[in-house]
Amino acid sequence: MWFGRIGRLVARVALPRDDVELVVVNDPFIYVEYMTYMFKYDSVHGAWKHHELKVKDDQTLLFGEKLVTIFGSMYISHSSFLKLML
């Protein structure tokens, strides 16, 4: 999923659930640090109040203990991205 307004909203709904797993976020337009900031402090939906969100490295976010891989590819055909989606 791209991590724009709709992608962040979907993540907010999916992350607290046990029957949905967020595995990959793809957004070629923003850095991981800014992506984290925008998720934590959304101007419409308010501050994220569930588990902690932090940057593990340039390609991984930690939502509590859940690892989410980050890609910055313009093309969904990127082979590494597809492997995680299947």
Side-chain angles (χ1 to χ4, degrees), residues 32-82:
V32 176
E33 292 80 11
Y34 189 57
M35 184 183 296
T36 303
Y37 174 82
M38 288 178 26
F39 185 84
K40 281 182 175 180
Y41 307 106
D42 191 282
S43 61
V44 173
H45 303 288
W48 177 247
K49 296 178 182 162
H50 295 281
H51 38 270
E52 184 179 3
L53 167 61
K54 59 185 172 182
V55 176
K56 179 179 178 192
D57 56 46
D58 288 344
Q59 297 180 347
T60 312
L61 289 177
L62 281 168
F63 289 90
E65 295 183 18
K66 296 178 183 180
L67 294 172
V68 177
T69 302
I70 304 299
F71 282 98
S73 177
M74 288 289 293
Y75 306 102
I76 196 159
S77 61
H78 187 276
S79 61
S80 299
F81 181 77
L82 283 178

Side-chain angles (χ1 to χ4, degrees), residues 19-31:
D19 61 336
V20 177
E21 183 179 7
L22 180 62
V23 178
V24 175
V25 170
N26 182 52
D27 197 326
F29 301 113
I30 60 176
Y31 294 104

Side-chain angles (χ1 to χ4, degrees), residues 2-22:
W2 285 46
F3 217 54
R5 168 101 25 224
I6 294 170
R8 289 191 308 272
L9 181 58
V10 170
R12 283 175 169 259
V13 171
L15 284 166
R17 298 178 58 130
D18 292 330
D19 61 336
V20 177
E21 183 179 7
L22 180 62

